[in-house]
Amino acid sequence: MSSIYKQLAAEFQKGIKDGSIVTTPPPTKDTSSSKKVALTFDDGPHPTITMEILDLLDKYNAKATFFVVGNRIDRYSDVLIETFERGHEIGNHTWNHTNLTTISTNQVKEQLSSTNNAIKKAIGQYPTVFRPPYGAKNNQVVSVIELPVIMWTIDTLDWKYRNASNLLPMVKKSMHNNAIILMHDIHQSTADGLESVLKYLQEQGYEFVTVSEILQYK
Ligand code: ZN
């Protein structure tokens, strides 16, 4: 009798040990994966509008990316320097906003290198990213571009509406994590509507980062 008891007890103990007291750890929370958004501004630098945008970005501790047009750089080099010194990323947006799919390969190279050199001359560094005007590209164009070619995931159509109160609704309706938002720092309406966008996205928990930072998370 006592031997049976011993055996049962052993089985009973084994049962507990094997099956029952297993705790599942809670899913680990990845603290590095906060929501991120890349605000991008094309076609500048602009002497007043870019500066207004820079002040708004500072107010929200936001970093952004500016795709600049080469032939504006000499005239507004102080604006470009200011943009760079405040910690924003500088991108190449061709020399004169040409549709690259309509010109020769050599002309594409010239559009890129002249703008790269103008940026380097102004800020002491080459740009880190490229965006084609109108988003127009093909394999031949892409093959000669040595920088990451950056498109966008949300087009605010700010160039079309030119209406400050339209900016936030355009962002809201398509917003997603790691979004790349297309805007233009040559339209006053974009500067006027930007604070509502910054405020909303900040409330939603987004961190404002450069395009190159977003690419690391994609
Ligand atoms: Zn453009």
Side-chain angles (χ1 to χ4, degrees):
M1 190 66 184
S2 73
S3 71
I4 291 168
Y5 233 122
K6 231 180 193 169
Q7 215 181 317
L8 282 174
E11 287 298 311
F12 182 63
Q13 284 166 0
K14 191 167 174 272
I16 291 171
K17 205 175 164 187
D18 282 353
S20 40
I21 312 170
V22 177
T23 54
T24 310
T28 47
K29 199 179 174 191
D30 182 1
T31 50
S32 70
S33 65
S34 64
K35 292 194 287 183
K36 292 181 174 61
V37 57
L39 305 178
T40 67
F41 299 93
D42 291 10
D43 298 358
H46 186 283
T48 57
I49 298 169
T50 305
M51 294 307 296
E52 276 183 47
I53 288 172
L54 290 180
D55 287 344
L56 283 170
L57 293 173
D58 277 354
K59 187 173 167 184
Y60 287 83
N61 196 25
K63 294 291 175 274
T65 304
F66 291 78
F67 291 93
V68 299
V69 175
N71 67 11
R72 299 177 66 88
I73 292 172
D74 199 32
R75 216 176 338 157
Y76 305 122
S77 60
D78 52 336
V79 179
L80 184 63
I81 291 165
E82 188 75 20
T83 306
F84 179 68
E85 285 184 347
R86 293 204 204 180
H88 304 292
E89 183 167 31
I90 307 299
N92 181 326
H93 196 47
T94 74
W95 182 255
N96 58 0
H97 211 267
T98 298
N99 181 334
L100 298 180
T101 64
T102 64
I103 59 176
S104 73
T105 299
N106 276 341
Q107 287 173 315
V108 171
K109 286 179 182 168
E110 179 56 29
Q111 286 279 332
L112 271 117
S113 62
S114 57
T115 306
N116 282 344
N117 292 336
I119 292 171
K120 169 83 154 84
K121 190 181 161 203
I123 66 170
Q125 283 192 23
Y126 287 110
T128 41
V129 284
F130 173 81
R131 175 176 281 161
Y134 318 103
K137 61 186 170 91
N138 55 30
N139 289 341
Q140 199 190 335
V141 166
V142 170
S143 72
V144 299
I145 300 171
E146 288 164 348
L147 293 168
V149 177
I150 309 295
M151 303 299 273
W152 52 86
T153 67
I154 297 177
D155 186 353
T156 61
L157 299 176
D158 60 339
W159 55 273
K160 186 175 167 186
Y161 294 123
R162 312 277 183 100
N163 180 344
S165 61
N166 238 346
L167 201 60
L168 179 57
M170 289 301 286
V171 170
K172 259 187 182 173
K173 106 177 166 185
S174 313
M175 194 55 205
H176 60 94
N177 191 24
N178 292 329
I180 299 173
I181 301 180
L182 172 62
M183 291 175 280
H184 296 82
D185 55 332
I186 52 166
H187 301 307
Q188 185 61 46
S189 51
T190 300
D192 293 344
L194 183 62
E195 184 154 21
S196 65
V197 172
L198 288 163
K199 193 164 181 290
Y200 170 77
L201 292 178
Q202 188 180 67
E203 283 165 3
Q204 297 295 308
Y206 282 97
E207 186 188 344
F208 303 100
V209 299
T210 63
V211 138
S212 286
E213 272 182 85
I214 282 280
L215 293 181
Q216 296 171 26
Y217 297 98
K218 284 198 106 55

